[in-house]
Amino acid sequence: MGMDVSRVTDLKELDNNKLFNIINGSDSESFNEHYAITQKEEERLYQQAVLQYHLLKYQFPPKSELFSTSYNQHIRRTYEELEKEFKLELLNYDLSKFLDFSLLNTFNNLPQNGKIMVEYVWIGAVDPSGDLRSKTRTLDFIPKSADELPEWNYDGSSTNQAEGHDSEVIIKPRRIFKDPFRLGDNILVLCDTYKPNGEPLPTNSRAPAKEIFDKNIEAKPWYGFEQEYTLYTPEFHPLGWPKGGYPAPQGPYYCGAGADKAFGRAIVEAHYKCCLYAGINISGVNAEVMPSQWEFQIGPCEGIDAGDQLWMARYILHRLGEIFRVVVSFHPKPMEGWNGAGLHTNYSTELMRKEGGYQLIVDAVKKLEKKHKDHVENYGQDNHLRLTGRFETSSMDKFTYGVGNRGASVRIPTTTFNSGMGYFEDRRPASNADPYLVSSLIFKTTELED
């Protein structure tokens, strides 16, 4: 005879094997035969059993387990609905104590006995746009520069950067930042990636970018990145948007204030302070045109340092997402019918910033026009969804430029035109673009090629 589930009110008292029998359906026919329970009660017990089992096991079941029996089909709940329900329960209830970062406050004040914690940060390749990874090691000295830090390694087969039979990837420290999470003498260190023989990985865009900058460091190229991003709930719903609907049309959100206009400002403020503490040259923030979309600016930074600082600012933002329980997205077109997200890149050389520099700016823009296709192909994933000629973008298929024109491929600021010197803004890069690629490509086209 099957289990007497009619007398069970809290399935937490059952062990995993019995819970799995209910889920799997091996006990379902017998208890239906022997116990007169309603379909509603049957469904409640089933859902409770599934939820409790997977809370204990910390995993979601394969689809085959959910639909292997007529009993499970009788419930008529799709795998996606169940998975969503489990995730919501996991996030909102059982795992909440593990997500409360305030519990770390006591431990952060503990002495470290002369040692420091070093968070090695690098760029993986599971996401074509680059996904940030990190791990920690202990050192017994405080480094004055990245050159003093030891190289390290990781399993590249787990980041889509190596085969399993030869998976060791070397990470070389390049730039040190203060750690805004652990505080004290602890640090974050940005690294790039190499094969054991010393050759840069194909996904290492920093190494070739530095080679390009080193060919004419006297030009002193400055960059200012305008990084747009979108905040989501853990269920990938835009933060602050009504469930099952849309907010009021765009218009009141850009640089807006108020609970009905600005969603996620606490995260933005925390990121601002963390970047300043870390030593990142963050120059400002603002709410963007789409609700739950924000922007921060990095720069001016010179040469390779611009990419280093933006990548670390992105890393810090993702880490804050863990604390605030939000998902940060750099996708260039998060929602159809709304403004996309870009990485507008402001650029100048020393001569452009001096008297008479305006003509050099125009000459540089005309060089960009000749290489338009090469640039847009390296300006981020899914950028064709954004560069449509609508929503303050240019067309991906046609290069344009103009003074004060935010619908052009390249905008020359009115202040630059009036003063006869300054900088220009390449508005084509997507929000998920690699800043090493963008910055080095602009420099190569405008300074190293005829």
Side-chain angles (χ1 to χ4, degrees):
M1 189 171 77
M3 284 171 40
D4 187 354
V5 296
S6 64
R7 292 198 296 269
V8 177
T9 58
D10 187 357
L11 295 181
K12 293 181 180 180
E13 64 193 54
L14 303 179
D15 61 31
N16 277 358
N17 289 333
K18 291 181 179 179
L19 286 167
F20 184 77
N21 287 338
I22 296 177
I23 299 166
N24 186 263
S26 58
D27 277 333
S28 59
E29 291 184 7
S30 57
F31 76 63
N32 278 331
E33 289 176 3
H34 294 276
Y35 301 99
I37 58 176
T38 65
Q39 181 176 338
K40 184 177 181 180
E41 179 66 8
E42 181 179 302
E43 183 174 352
R44 185 192 69 79
L45 288 167
Y46 171 77
Q47 292 175 18
Q48 189 180 354
V50 173
L51 178 60
Q52 180 61 23
Y53 176 76
H54 293 291
L55 283 173
L56 292 172
K57 297 292 288 185
Y58 272 75
Q59 61 184 17
F60 301 124
K63 294 183 182 180
S64 59
E65 288 185 10
L66 283 174
F67 288 121
S68 59
T69 67
S70 59
Y71 171 72
N72 292 330
Q73 293 170 358
H74 176 66
I75 299 300
R76 297 187 182 280
R77 292 179 59 93
T78 66
Y79 175 80
E80 288 77 15
E81 289 173 337
L82 285 169
E83 183 181 42
K84 183 177 181 181
E85 182 177 323
F86 298 154
K87 285 182 176 178
L88 282 170
E89 291 293 335
L90 285 166
L91 289 168
N92 294 333
Y93 173 66
D94 199 66
L95 292 183
S96 60
K97 58 181 177 292
F98 302 110
L99 298 173
D100 185 359
F101 280 77
S102 67
L103 297 176
L104 285 174
N105 291 340
T106 299
F107 307 104
N108 281 337
N109 295 324
L110 292 175
Q112 295 179 194
N113 297 324
K115 299 182 185 295
I116 67 168
M117 302 163 76
V118 182
E119 192 75 15
Y120 280 59
V121 180
W122 71 92
I123 303 167
V126 171
D127 184 337
S129 302
D131 51 296
L132 287 156
R133 309 292 181 114
S134 71
K135 62 178 182 174
T136 314
R137 72 183 302 169
T138 303
L139 295 179
D140 58 5
F141 68 96
I142 300 174
K144 296 179 181 178
S145 69
D147 294 337
E148 297 180 7
L149 290 166
E151 295 179 1
W152 207 6
N153 63 78
Y154 66 91
D155 174 16
S157 66
S158 298
T159 61
N160 203 29
Q161 292 171 299
E163 299 293 334
H165 65 277
D166 186 19
S167 65
E168 190 163 292
V169 173
I170 308 302
I171 42 179
K172 297 185 178 184
R174 297 304 184 194
R175 180 71 153 78
I176 289 175
F177 300 87
K178 294 171 66 177
D179 189 335
F181 303 104
R182 293 176 173 135
L183 306 179
D185 294 323
N186 303 302
I187 57 175
L188 307 174
V189 55
L190 186 69
C191 307
D192 60 353
T193 52
Y194 294 82
K195 296 178 181 179
N197 64 6
E199 179 184 343
L201 290 190
T203 56
N204 180 348
S205 57
R206 189 188 189 278
K210 190 173 186 305
E211 288 183 5
I212 290 172
F213 286 123
D214 287 347
K215 290 179 180 180
N216 188 11
I217 57 176
E218 295 81 11
K220 297 187 183 302
W222 284 5
Y223 296 90
F225 290 119
E226 302 174 24
Q227 177 68 76
E228 296 177 336
Y229 61 95
T230 308
L231 298 175
Y232 289 82
T233 68
E235 298 77 48
F236 292 95
H237 186 78
L239 193 67
W241 285 41
K243 292 186 177 180
Y246 293 87
Q250 59 188 39
Y253 309 107
Y254 173 69
C255 297
D260 59 338
K261 300 179 183 69
F263 309 130
R265 189 182 296 275
I267 303 158
V268 176
E269 292 290 317
H271 181 247
Y272 203 161
K273 287 289 187 72
C274 284
C275 285
L276 289 173
Y277 177 87
I280 293 172
N281 190 19
I282 183 170
S283 50
V285 298
N286 62 268
E288 267 303 329
V289 176
M290 191 184 88
S292 77
Q293 191 178 77
W294 294 83
E295 174 184 302
F296 64 88
Q297 298 94 35
I298 298 295
C301 300
E302 188 171 314
I304 198 68
D305 193 45
D308 289 347
Q309 294 207 32
L310 181 56
W311 273 116
M312 187 55 73
R314 287 177 174 178
Y315 172 79
I316 291 173
L317 185 57
H318 281 303
R319 285 283 301 274
L320 286 169
E322 298 175 21
I323 297 172
F324 285 92
R325 293 174 64 188
V326 297
V327 177
V328 179
S329 171
F330 294 108
H331 194 275
K333 195 65 176 178
M335 298 294 288
E336 280 296 325
W338 297 78
N339 271 38
L343 181 67
H344 301 157
T345 303
N346 301 280
Y347 167 76
S348 68
T349 62
E350 186 175 40
L351 291 178
M352 292 177 187
R353 298 188 292 271
K354 292 183 176 181
E355 187 175 348
Y358 184 77
Q359 187 56 52
L360 296 176
I361 290 172
V362 173
D363 292 344
V365 171
K366 289 181 178 179
K367 288 181 179 180
L368 291 176
E369 182 175 15
K370 294 178 182 179
K371 293 295 186 71
H372 175 63
K373 183 178 179 182
D374 292 339
H375 279 251
V376 293
E377 287 177 351
N378 288 279
Y379 275 9
Q381 298 289 317
D382 296 322
N383 206 15
H384 64 285
L385 300 175
R386 168 179 162 267
L387 294 181
T388 61
R390 301 175 62 225
F391 301 107
E392 296 184 276
T393 68
S394 61
S395 170
M396 193 167 188
D397 301 321
K398 183 180 179 181
F399 182 91
T400 58
Y401 74 95
V403 175
N405 184 357
R406 283 181 164 77
S409 306
V410 171
R411 177 183 70 93
I412 299 175
T414 303
T415 53
T416 296
F417 177 78
N418 291 338
S419 63
M421 58 184 174
Y423 67 96
F424 66 83
E425 176 193 33
D426 191 339
R427 296 179 60 81
R428 295 171 294 173
S431 50
N432 59 11
D434 181 344
Y436 293 136
L437 283 176
V438 172
S439 59
S440 62
L441 193 53
I442 291 174
F443 185 71
K444 179 182 177 182
T445 298
T446 61
E447 286 295 312
L448 303 182
E449 297 179 350
D450 296 329

